[in-house]
Amino acid sequence: GAVVSQHPSWVICKSGTSVKIECRSLDFQATTMFWYRQFPKQSLMLMATSNEGSKATYEQGVEKDKFLINHASLTLSTLTVTSAHPEDSSFYICSARDGSVSSYNEQFFGPGTRLTVL
Amino acid sequence: AQRVTQPEKLLSVFKGAPVELKCNYSYSGSPELFWYVQYSRQRLQLLLRHISRESIKGFTADLNKGETSFHLKKPFAQEEDSAMYYCALGGDSNYQLIWGAGTKLIIKP
């Protein structure tokens, strides 16, 4: 089955530093990847959608300069949280869509990254 | 507007009892609906998609366009069914999914 990995699985950083989270599709080509944020006991909040080779589309209220997304290849997307602050502490989840299946909107999820900003 | 509503934040039933997790949607076109499940400390995974009309782990979900619903059902709940369940709708834009708020299902022994 389609597998998506995320790295790191957890990270602790100091306020003001930047953190990069990687999302990889291991056995399929992900033409579209999604980045979500999940707050405790809440649903997923879509942050942005990225298509390989083009700029990410950010949801309303998500600062594109703070959450930099790069989708440079069909198997890798990165999310960089720049100048992180404690309020950025959250669980970040990526998902990917298999580009070879044209009709489905099914997304395959990574295990998530727990970010704690001190 | 595209929207998914899961009215129950928490559903608690006894083992062996029937389970129904409700999902209603709002969508003007032909909907594509999914149920995703998140077991404790595991990643989100697809449970069902309406287009497949399949039964996974004893769960079924039928799309009712008249009632704009896609309720998830299982006749006899098992303890391992305890998890968070999310209903999702394939949106118009860039393969995005519109997510419900999720229902936490607890199966009591």
Side-chain angles (χ1 to χ4, degrees):
Chain A
V3 179
V4 175
S5 69
Q6 262 182 262
H7 179 79
S9 54
W10 59 270
V11 57
I12 301 173
C13 69
K14 291 183 179 179
S15 187
T17 60
S18 295
V19 173
K20 180 186 282 189
I21 302 170
E22 290 186 352
C23 178
R24 292 181 186 274
S25 58
L26 299 185
D27 51 2
F28 66 99
Q29 294 188 327
T31 50
T32 309
M33 285 184 164
F34 306 87
W35 286 96
Y36 294 90
R37 195 169 168 177
Q38 188 176 36
F39 296 97
K41 298 183 180 179
Q42 292 190 32
S43 187
L44 300 165
M45 185 194 82
L46 179 65
M47 298 174 66
T49 303
S50 73
N51 291 299
E52 185 265 337
S54 60
K55 289 185 179 180
T57 304
Y58 290 81
E59 295 302 298
Q60 194 172 9
V62 178
E63 298 175 58
K64 58 183 68 176
D65 293 330
K66 180 164 188 63
F67 298 100
L68 299 177
I69 291 171
N70 184 284
H71 190 168
S73 80
L74 284 171
T75 58
L76 173 64
S77 176
T78 60
L79 167 67
T80 302
V81 183
T82 62
S83 188
H85 290 283
E87 56 266 30
D88 299 324
S89 298
S90 192
F91 195 57
Y92 292 88
I93 305 173
C94 76
S95 70
R97 180 182 169 275
D98 187 343
S100 68
V101 181
S102 61
S103 59
Y104 292 152
N105 285 320
E106 181 179 355
Q107 295 177 19
F108 300 95
F109 284 81
T113 297
R114 172 73 59 193
L115 170 63
T116 302
V117 184
L118 302 176
Chain B
Q2 299 166 49
R3 187 167 53 243
V4 175
T5 304
Q6 291 180 251
E8 303 137 328
K9 279 192 173 179
L10 174 66
L11 183 63
S12 182
V13 302
F14 283 102
K15 177 182 170 183
V19 171
E20 182 179 52
L21 293 96
K22 291 185 166 54
C23 172
N24 287 90
Y25 66 92
S26 174
Y27 187 64
S28 57
S30 186
E32 186 176 6
L33 286 151
F34 303 85
W35 276 99
Y36 279 82
V37 60
Q38 188 173 28
Y39 299 103
S40 179
R41 296 180 184 176
Q42 294 188 30
R43 71 183 71 194
L44 265 165
Q45 55 186 284
L46 179 69
L47 180 64
L48 284 177
R49 61 170 82 95
H50 91 270
I51 201 167
S52 301
R53 302 180 68 85
E54 57 202 342
S55 173
I56 303 293
K57 299 184 179 182
F59 284 97
T60 59
D62 291 318
L63 176 61
N64 186 323
K65 290 187 179 181
E67 296 183 358
T68 59
S69 68
F70 188 56
H71 302 326
L72 183 67
K73 300 177 183 179
K74 184 168 182 175
F76 307 103
Q78 298 172 297
E79 287 186 67
E80 53 265 33
D81 296 329
S82 295
M84 278 294 295
Y85 290 81
Y86 294 95
C87 183
L89 166 70
D92 288 330
S93 176
N94 207 5
Y95 304 107
Q96 290 178 2
L97 290 175
I98 313 299
W99 295 88
T103 298
K104 183 171 185 176
L105 176 64
I106 296 175
I107 307 301
K108 296 178 286 190

